[in-house]
Amino acid sequence: MKKVGLFIPCYIDTIYPNVAEATYKLLTDLGFDVEYPLDQSCCGQPFLNSGYEDEAKSLAKKFIDLFSKYEYIVAPSASCVSTIKNRYKDLIDDDRVSKIEKSIFEICEFLHDEVRLESIDVSFPYRVGFHQSCHGLRELNLGVSSELSKPYYSKARSLLELVKDIKIVDLKRADECCGFGGTFSIKEPEISIQMGKDRIEDHLSSNAEYIVGYDSSCLMHMQGIIDHDKLKIKTAHIVEILSGMIK
């Protein structure tokens, strides 16, 4: 049995523990021996995005100390995985960074590329629109963005297509940013909110009942707008559906 180190980003741990539980359930149901290092903390992304590299270095070192022993490191967050995979090498001088880069996977990437999941015994009888977050799309290559002249693919959508009774609706702007952007939503709230409203409207106009994505931060941003405007649509992290934790 292969051992997986489960990395749960701080905002999921604090606000969406159900996503952490769904990730754990999904991996263990597939036969993996999953460990959750209790001393884990933030990957350092908020500091790096704001230019505080010195503050991020200690977090990066702590992450490497905790997770470098695992054959696989899996997380339900594309933005955090991208930070570790793409930014640690320029942040700290540690021979273990290259191993971490090869070992860490966003959950959809892991299921698609490593597990090669071909079937799953869950049902979700709803109309869903799939939101592709920017880090996963453009930095982890979880799909192909529309500005590129390449054949279409989406690793996360292909996993959703395995779910029984689901209806994935077509969107007009399938890879448009939701406007969250972490600290961008704080520094430019008016632009951020309008981008979120545009993203939600695209789903509503396609008669989606759920907005499904692989980054809780983006879903949190859109859910806040949905709640504020009392819109008739919900959000769900993809692992909640794949694990069968919401039906």
Side-chain angles (χ1 to χ4, degrees), residues 209-229:
E209 297 169 274
Y210 277 87
I211 300 174
V212 176
Y214 45 68
D215 259 317
S216 289
S217 54
C218 299
L219 297 173
M220 175 179 65
H221 176 58
M222 289 185 282
Q223 188 65 57
I225 296 170
I226 290 167
D227 292 344
H228 180 271
D229 294 350

Side-chain angles (χ1 to χ4, degrees), residues 102-146:
K102 297 174 183 176
S103 301
I104 191 164
F105 294 89
E106 184 274 334
I107 182 67
C108 295
E109 178 185 28
F110 182 67
L111 295 176
H112 185 276
D113 294 352
E114 298 298 311
V115 178
R116 298 184 182 277
L117 193 65
E118 295 182 350
S119 65
I120 190 165
D121 188 20
V122 295
S123 172
F124 195 71
Y126 299 96
R127 293 174 59 86
V128 308
F130 175 59
H131 174 69
Q132 301 189 100
S133 300
C134 303
H135 285 89
L137 181 65
R138 295 183 170 84
E139 294 189 358
L140 295 182
N141 299 314
L142 296 183
V144 62
S145 50
S146 57

Side-chain angles (χ1 to χ4, degrees), residues 7 39-48 52-67 83-84 87-88 90-94 96-97:
F7 172 51
D39 290 338
Q40 64 180 275
S41 60
C42 178
C43 68
Q45 181 185 178
F47 291 107
L48 286 169
Y52 294 104
E53 292 192 355
D54 289 339
E55 287 80 357
K57 286 180 181 178
S58 61
L59 294 171
K61 185 179 185 305
K62 183 175 184 177
F63 183 93
I64 292 170
D65 288 342
L66 283 173
F67 283 97
T83 294
I84 296 161
R87 303 184 73 177
Y88 274 16
D90 296 323
L91 185 66
I92 57 175
D93 184 13
D94 191 312
R96 295 172 295 174
V97 171

Side-chain angles (χ1 to χ4, degrees), residues 2-6 32 67 70-74 102-105 110 114:
K2 293 183 178 180
K3 185 167 289 187
V4 170
L6 179 60
F32 288 94
F67 283 97
Y70 293 107
E71 181 178 2
Y72 294 116
I73 308 160
V74 178
K102 297 174 183 176
S103 301
I104 191 164
F105 294 89
F110 182 67
E114 298 298 311

